[in-house]
Amino acid sequence: MLKIGLFILIVACLALLLGLLYISFKMLRETQQKQKEQNRTAAKPEYQLHPKLKQKQHKK
């Protein structure tokens, strides 16, 4: 009787673990898709050069 209970407990834990893995990967995919959408729609930031680099560019 104890072995059967232990077997059922292990199967339940494995099912719970697989369910959590499924949910986490689903959430990860949703987050990645949202990030891709934001990257597409967002304007790229304009970077400013360091003053010494600006001077080098002007000298050329």
Side-chain angles (χ1 to χ4, degrees), residues 17-31:
L17 179 65
L18 290 174
L20 289 174
L21 281 172
Y22 173 75
I23 291 170
S24 66
F25 278 112
K26 186 177 176 181
M27 290 173 63
L28 176 65
R29 295 293 174 224
E30 287 177 8
T31 305

Side-chain angles (χ1 to χ4, degrees), residues 20 33 41 43 46 50 53:
L20 289 174
Q33 287 177 354
T41 58
E46 293 183 20
H50 192 274
L53 291 175

Side-chain angles (χ1 to χ4, degrees), residues 6-20:
L6 184 62
F7 179 74
I8 291 172
L9 182 64
I10 290 173
V11 170
C13 287
L14 287 174
L16 180 65
L17 179 65
L18 290 174
L20 289 174

Side-chain angles (χ1 to χ4, degrees), residues 44-50 54:
K44 293 186 180 182
E46 293 183 20
Y47 296 103
Q48 295 181 354
L49 288 177
H50 192 274
K54 284 183 182 179

